[in-house]
């Protein structure tokens, strides 16, 4: 079972040249998309509001060496073959898409470089990142794009990379990006390398053959799991029939709680949904956020979610609206150390966020109680269990079902472990790393990555729902400020 909230595992440290494990980075990559990944890949064709790009924005202290940056991407594509792979649909859609090395892979198409006209600020760079994020992928090519943005008036530069969610989840994306990072400015000579994966000419018919092979390979494990589960269930039923029935009822009740929409009505202020997106960035010191969390008896994730909810409440105040519980979602990390960097290893939970609680300490405590309860749910794996069934539904039906489910969420919050040490990209120091998760159907998607002692929060807003994005970001900042203030005043009378 995964864990909720602070579930991203230990912080990631980029490997040195001698630490790169070539076999480990390539091990375990599935040729065929999982049912969950296939759903994400196909649904957006029927419903563009469900586009699922994961975007990471690095703020650099200056322009990196372009030639080094190109070579770094070329090297990374040798180490991780998925970077050079496109998705091929089996004939008649009989099965899930298959990853295949693009016979026309062209790094110049995926890696771009632009220079902004003077005067240019980080906000201007974010607009370019937002436009890049909203452009649909060319699905005949590997689904990722990177861009270097130069010309900021303070001498800094921005590097942005966009990947499709079917290629990897947030934690996997951060893991892949560490391949491009270094612990020093100077070039690393004699990095271990390998030849790039040879091109493949997979077509829709041969992709179906790959799907058959994949099903045959997976079948023994699935059958063994089913048989083993049946044997364990039968044995338990014989040994302790009352206990077995009780456990079954507990799982059924847990499943009902997990799949039932949160007991909260979405805000009328945030009701509409559209294709427009707006990126905002906030930052807060990790020690300060920890102190605020500790003062209220919570974790960093509890304080983070409580700050977001406080910001949502303040935004409603500005519009003369009252807010109650906010229907929200949170991904649950299922990734283990043995999993490959790519692919998706997560599930999701939904709950009613206590935004009506105006005392930040009490709000942190309320969030903590909810999250601790979610951690104990036996049915957290319900999404994985349902994925094979859902993936067999007609794409238009699956897309509209998912949109209806996600539209009921006003807020999604994700927390991903980052890099705890200074790192560099082709000679430029990475000052900040802002993540922007996909917002398919929800009003607000907020993602936090800790980077060298700073919590970098990327906020992806649906502009049909949040019609005053700048004001919304100000309210979120106030929400974080009041949580941080708890730590600054710990021990003083309240």
């Amino acid at each position: 079972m995964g864990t909720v909230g602070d579930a991203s595992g230990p912080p990631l440290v980029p490997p040195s040249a001698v630490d790169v494990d070539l076999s480990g980075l390539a091990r375990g990559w599935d040729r065929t998309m999982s049912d969950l990944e296939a759903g994400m890949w196909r649904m957006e064709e029927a419903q563009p509001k469900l586009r699922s790009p994961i975007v990471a924005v690095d703020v650099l202290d200056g322009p990196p060496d372009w030639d080094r940056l190109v070579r770094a991407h070329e090297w990374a594509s040798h180490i991780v073959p998925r970077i050079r792979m496109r998705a091929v649909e089996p004939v008649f859609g009989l099965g899930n898409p298959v990853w295949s090395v693009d016979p026309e892979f062209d790094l110049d198409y995926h890696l771009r470089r632009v220079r902004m006209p003077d005067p240019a600020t980080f906000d201007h760079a974010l607009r370019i990142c937002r436009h890049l994020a909203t452009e649909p992928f060319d699905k005949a090519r590997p689904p990722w794009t990177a861009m270097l943005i130069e010309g900021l008036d303070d001498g800094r530069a921005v590097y942005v990379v966009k990947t499709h969610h079917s290629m990897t989840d947030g934690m996997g994306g951060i893991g892949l990006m560490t391949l491009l990072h270094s612990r020093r400015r100077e070039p690393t000579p004699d990095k271990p390398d390998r030849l790039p994966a040879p091109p493949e000419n997979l077509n829709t018919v041969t992709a179906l053959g790959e799907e058959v092979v994949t099903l045959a390979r997976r079948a023994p494990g699935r059958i063994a799991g089913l048989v083993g589960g049946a044997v364990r269930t039968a044995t338990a039923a014989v040994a302790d029939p009352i206990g077995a029935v009780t456990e079954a009822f507990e799982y059924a009740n847990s499943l009902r709680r997990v799949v039932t929409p949160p007991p909260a009505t979405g805000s009328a202020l945030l009701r509409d949904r559209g294709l427009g997106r707006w990126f905002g960035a906030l930052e807060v010191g990790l020690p300060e956020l920890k102190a605020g969390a500790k003062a209220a008896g919570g974790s960093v994730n509890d304080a983070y979610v409580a700050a977001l909810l406080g910001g949502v409440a303040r935004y409603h105040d500005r519009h003369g609206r009252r807010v109650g519980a906010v229907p929200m979602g949170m991904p649950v990390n299922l990734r283990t150390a043995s999993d490959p960097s790519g692919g998706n290893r997560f599930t999701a939970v939904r709950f009613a966020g206590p935004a009506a609680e105006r005392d930040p300490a009490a709000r942190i405590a309320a969030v903590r109680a909810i999250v601790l309860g979610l951690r104990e749910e036996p049915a957290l794996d319900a999404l994985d269990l349902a994925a094979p069934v859902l993936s067999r539904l007609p794409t238009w039906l699956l897309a509209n079902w998912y949109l209806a489910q996600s539209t009921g969420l006003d807020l999604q919050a994700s927390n991903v472990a980052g890099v705890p040490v200074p790192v560099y990209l082709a000679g430029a120091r990475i000052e900040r790393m802002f993540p922007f998760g996909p917002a398919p159907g929800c009003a607000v998607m907020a993602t936090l990555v800790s980077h060298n002692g700073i919590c970098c929060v990327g906020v992806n807003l649906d502009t049909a729902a949040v019609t005053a994005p700048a004001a919304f970001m100000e309210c979120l900042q106030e929400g974080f400020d009041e949580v941080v203030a708890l730590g600054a005043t710990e021990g003083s009378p309240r």
Side-chain angles (χ1 to χ4, degrees):
M1 181 184 297
T3 52
V4 181
D6 300 316
S8 45
L12 297 173
V13 179
S16 66
V18 296
D19 291 335
V20 176
D21 178 2
L22 302 187
S23 61
L25 286 167
R27 182 179 60 241
W29 291 73
D30 244 328
R31 287 274 292 183
T32 303
M33 285 188 190
S34 70
D35 295 319
L36 174 63
E37 291 159 354
M40 291 188 290
W41 180 256
R42 291 169 172 163
M43 282 191 299
E44 63 185 40
E45 295 179 1
Q47 182 48 263
K49 293 178 183 177
L50 297 179
R51 288 174 184 160
S52 302
I54 295 175
V55 179
V57 176
D58 286 349
V59 182
L60 312 175
D61 67 349
D65 183 305
W66 175 251
D67 290 336
R68 277 181 63 186
L69 188 63
V70 172
R71 290 196 299 271
H73 283 78
E74 180 67 31
W75 173 79
S77 77
H78 296 181
I79 303 303
V80 180
R82 180 62 56 84
I83 293 174
R84 305 175 78 94
M85 289 183 172
R86 57 179 181 151
V88 180
E89 287 277 6
V91 64
F92 303 130
L94 296 174
N96 295 344
V98 176
W99 292 106
S100 173
V101 180
D102 185 359
E104 299 182 61
F105 178 75
D106 180 5
L107 184 60
D108 288 341
Y109 172 83
H110 296 276
L111 179 60
R112 307 168 188 179
R113 183 183 192 183
V114 299
R115 184 173 185 85
M116 294 185 294
D118 296 331
T121 65
F122 177 61
D123 285 339
H124 292 118
L126 270 187
R127 294 180 193 176
I128 295 177
C129 297
R130 180 190 70 200
H131 290 309
L132 179 68
T134 54
E135 293 175 354
F137 284 101
D138 179 352
K139 291 194 171 182
R141 299 174 182 267
W144 68 273
T145 302
M147 179 182 289
L148 175 64
I149 304 171
E150 300 175 282
L152 273 70
D153 53 15
D154 55 7
R156 295 184 299 171
V158 166
Y159 168 82
V160 54
V161 60
K162 176 183 76 166
T163 58
H164 196 280
H165 210 324
S166 62
M167 185 175 177
T168 186
D169 54 26
M171 190 64 188
I174 294 293
L176 289 175
M177 285 192 68
T178 61
L179 278 178
L180 301 175
H181 297 165
S182 172
R183 286 183 249 176
R184 62 180 190 175
R185 285 191 190 270
E186 298 75 22
T188 302
D190 304 322
K191 286 193 296 188
D193 201 351
R194 58 153 50 101
L195 292 175
E200 298 174 316
N201 289 289
L202 200 69
N203 57 39
T204 59
V205 175
T206 51
L208 178 59
E210 287 271 358
E211 171 72 4
V212 172
V213 170
T214 298
L215 289 175
R217 178 172 55 80
R218 291 174 177 172
R222 289 183 174 179
I223 293 172
L226 290 173
V227 172
V231 170
R232 287 191 297 272
T233 300
T235 302
V238 171
D240 182 11
I242 296 177
V245 172
T246 301
E247 184 177 346
F249 273 112
E250 288 177 350
Y251 188 88
N253 286 328
S254 175
L255 183 62
R256 175 181 54 79
R257 291 191 295 269
V258 168
V259 303
T260 300
T265 303
S267 166
L269 184 63
L270 306 175
R271 177 182 297 132
D272 294 335
R273 299 291 186 270
L275 291 174
R277 296 293 181 264
W278 193 91
F279 282 2
L282 296 175
E283 59 184 71
V284 59
L286 180 58
E288 290 79 5
L289 192 59
K290 281 184 176 179
K294 181 180 178 182
S299 69
V300 168
N301 188 72
D302 300 330
Y304 164 57
V305 174
L308 294 175
L309 291 170
V312 171
R314 288 170 181 268
Y315 181 73
H316 281 74
D317 290 344
R318 289 200 184 189
H319 288 80
R321 304 288 187 92
R322 296 185 62 182
V323 65
V326 171
M328 65 176 295
M330 185 182 297
V332 181
N333 181 44
L334 301 176
R335 190 175 294 276
T336 66
S338 62
D339 288 321
S341 297
N344 285 268
R345 294 288 297 130
F346 77 97
T347 185
V349 293
R350 298 180 296 174
F351 58 94
E357 176 55 70
R358 293 310 180 97
D359 183 326
R363 191 163 62 248
I364 291 173
V367 169
R368 181 161 187 78
I370 293 170
V371 170
L372 289 177
L374 291 170
R375 286 180 177 175
E376 303 303 320
E377 289 289 0
L380 274 180
D381 58 353
L383 181 61
D384 271 354
L385 295 176
V389 176
L390 295 174
S391 68
R392 301 301 180 258
L393 296 176
T395 301
W396 65 268
L397 181 60
L398 177 61
N400 284 285
W401 173 83
Y402 185 86
L403 185 63
Q405 295 293 310
S406 55
T407 299
L409 300 178
D410 288 343
L411 173 65
Q412 291 201 57
S414 180
N415 178 4
V416 181
V419 181
V421 297
V423 288
Y424 302 86
L425 178 68
R429 183 167 59 86
I430 300 175
E431 296 183 340
R432 299 289 186 270
M433 182 187 296
F434 292 105
F436 296 92
C442 68
V444 179
M445 175 67 195
T447 310
L448 180 151
V449 164
S450 55
H451 178 74
N452 196 25
I454 299 293
C455 293
C456 302
V457 183
V459 184
N460 186 357
L461 304 176
D462 184 327
T463 53
V466 183
T467 56
F472 186 86
M473 294 303 297
E474 291 173 2
C475 293
L476 285 188
Q477 183 64 65
E478 292 169 4
F480 277 95
D481 290 344
E482 68 175 358
V483 167
V484 168
L486 293 174
T489 59
E490 185 178 8
S492 61
R494 297 181 59 209

